[in-house]
Every structure is written in structure tokens, then in C-alpha cells.
Amino acid sequence: QGKFAKALDAYRLAEPLAARLARRTPSNVDHQLAYAEVLAYIGMVQWYQGKLDEAMSAFDAAQEPLLHARTLAPGNMDLQFQLSTLDNNAGHVLESRGEIGKATEHYRRMLAMAEQLVAREPDKVAWQNQLGLAHNNLAKMALLQGDLPGAIAGYRADVAIEAELAKRDPRNNAQAERLLLAHGALGRTLSYAGDTEAGAAQLQQAVDEAERLATVEPDSASFQEDI
């Protein structure tokens, strides 16, 4: 809903509780994961607020319990997913700072972890979403560096993944939003490459879907932003 201050207040109330559990039970992987997740959400809200340094500090702090937990359960896929999500989040902060090379390193690591997750559990939606997002991130980095063919290939890979997931679950509005964003990014990039007809078609799909979602959930700040 875009109420970042209230969201941050709630996460800050959760943080000491999660920290206490993690400290009291250092061998409990689930408690380490829960603590890291709260820290990551704090960082995400700070990123939305434009507080890049604070967000990066929160993401760095979230890595500590995860790296500890990895020594206890190196094959834990939820743990790997969380680590890949932190790479995604840290990459966004670095991207906002203009540090494209460093952001690309994080996104490549995220892609590698997502590919491993999908290889182990190909039908799990969260892993597929993570793989699509990693392709999307790297496509944007390619675009920023003038690599239009690389960007188009990355965005096409994301569209293919998101479209398949949307077909599986047509009532999932969050998934529909992922697909429309992928269509929008691909359409814009095709237009940059001179294929304005195909680009316009992709963008129109994105606009139409964003307007439909905003009708279904009129209080969603996210869908309004998409439009």
C-alpha cells in the first residue's frame, strides 16, 4: 500500500524477537532464516525510501545468520533462496548507486543459485520466479551497457518463465504483475533495437494487464505505479 513508515515500524518490532531466537538457538536453521528475513525486509523498506546506505547495511547484516546457517545445512534450498534474494537486493542498491559492474556480479551469482534451485525442484514456483528475476536483472545490466541483443535475450527468457507460471495460476495477481513487467521491459528494449511494432505490442500487453489488475485491486499502490 506504499505505507513505508508503518511497514518499517512493524519490522523493527519483529527484529529483536527474531534476533533473540536466533541467538538462543544458534543451531536452529529456521530461526536463522527467520532473523535474516526480517533484516532483509527492513532493508527493502529502506531501499523503497531511498535510504541506500541503510538498506545496504541491513542486507549485509542479513547475510551473517544465513552464512552461519549454511555451515549447518549446506544443502538447504530455502537458505540458498534467501542468499540469492540478498544478492538481488544488494544488486538493486548498487545499481541505484551507478555501480553497474558490482551489481552485475551479484545478479550473476543470483542466477547461478536460481538455476541450481530449479534444477533440484523444477516445479516450485518460487524458484522459477527467482530464475526469471535473475534473467531480468542481468538483461537490465546488459541494456545499461549497450548490449541490446543480450538484453533482449534476457528479457525473453524472463517473459517465457513468467508466462508459463501465469498460465498455471491465472488468478494469481502477483504473478500476473511479474508477467506484465517482463512484457514492458522486453517491449521497451525491442523498441530501442528498432523493432517498434513488436515493442509496441509487448508494451500494450503490459498496459492492458496493469489496468485490469488496478480494477481488481484498486487500493494497490503497486498496480497504479505499473500503469
Side-chain angles (χ1 to χ4, degrees):
Q1 296 179 330
K3 299 173 183 176
F4 300 134
K6 288 185 177 180
L8 190 58
D9 286 344
Y11 289 132
R12 288 204 183 281
L13 287 171
E15 189 270 336
L17 303 174
R20 193 176 307 131
L21 275 175
R23 284 195 300 268
R24 286 179 178 175
T25 55
S27 61
N28 187 308
V29 173
D30 288 339
H31 290 174
Q32 308 306 313
L33 282 165
Y35 180 37
E37 187 174 44
V38 172
L39 291 171
Y41 275 127
I42 288 172
M44 192 179 298
V45 176
Q46 290 169 330
W47 178 61
Y48 287 148
Q49 293 176 318
K51 300 173 181 176
L52 299 185
D53 291 342
E54 292 179 38
M56 197 68 176
S57 294
F59 296 144
D60 287 342
Q63 271 202 328
E64 293 182 21
L66 292 180
L67 293 175
H68 167 67
R70 189 164 65 178
T71 65
L72 303 170
N76 187 302
M77 288 188 287
D78 290 329
L79 175 58
Q80 182 157 316
F81 176 74
Q82 285 264 32
L83 284 166
S84 72
T85 298
L86 283 179
D87 271 322
N88 173 65
N89 295 344
H92 287 337
V93 174
L94 292 164
E95 185 183 327
S96 298
R97 290 175 173 171
E99 298 179 54
I100 304 306
K102 289 183 179 179
T104 300
E105 290 176 14
H106 281 272
Y107 294 149
R108 283 178 180 157
R109 193 162 58 219
M110 175 190 178
L111 177 66
M113 285 190 278
E115 287 174 336
Q116 291 171 7
L117 290 168
V118 169
R120 291 182 64 180
E121 283 189 329
D123 293 330
K124 184 150 183 172
V125 172
W127 301 170
Q128 291 283 354
N129 279 145
Q130 196 77 338
L131 181 60
L133 180 56
H135 280 300
N136 190 295
N137 287 337
L138 285 169
K140 185 177 181 183
M141 296 302 96
L143 180 61
L144 290 173
Q145 296 175 83
D147 178 10
L148 289 176
I152 290 170
Y155 285 133
R156 283 196 189 283
D158 185 27
V159 167
I161 291 169
E162 308 306 346
E164 175 58 30
L165 293 175
K167 186 165 52 174
R168 284 191 214 170
D169 189 3
R171 293 185 179 183
N172 186 329
N173 290 342
Q175 183 57 51
E177 183 179 34
R178 292 186 187 97
L179 177 56
L180 80 86
L181 292 173
H183 276 306
L186 176 58
R188 179 187 58 194
T189 310
L190 287 168
S191 299
Y192 289 155
D195 193 349
T196 53
E197 184 175 348
Q202 292 282 336
L203 286 162
Q204 191 62 57
Q205 285 185 69
V207 171
D208 291 346
E209 186 63 4
E211 290 179 339
R212 183 189 73 81
L213 290 172
T215 301
V216 173
E217 293 188 34
D219 292 332
S220 170
S222 180
F223 296 154
Q224 294 295 331
E225 182 183 6
D226 293 339
I227 295 172

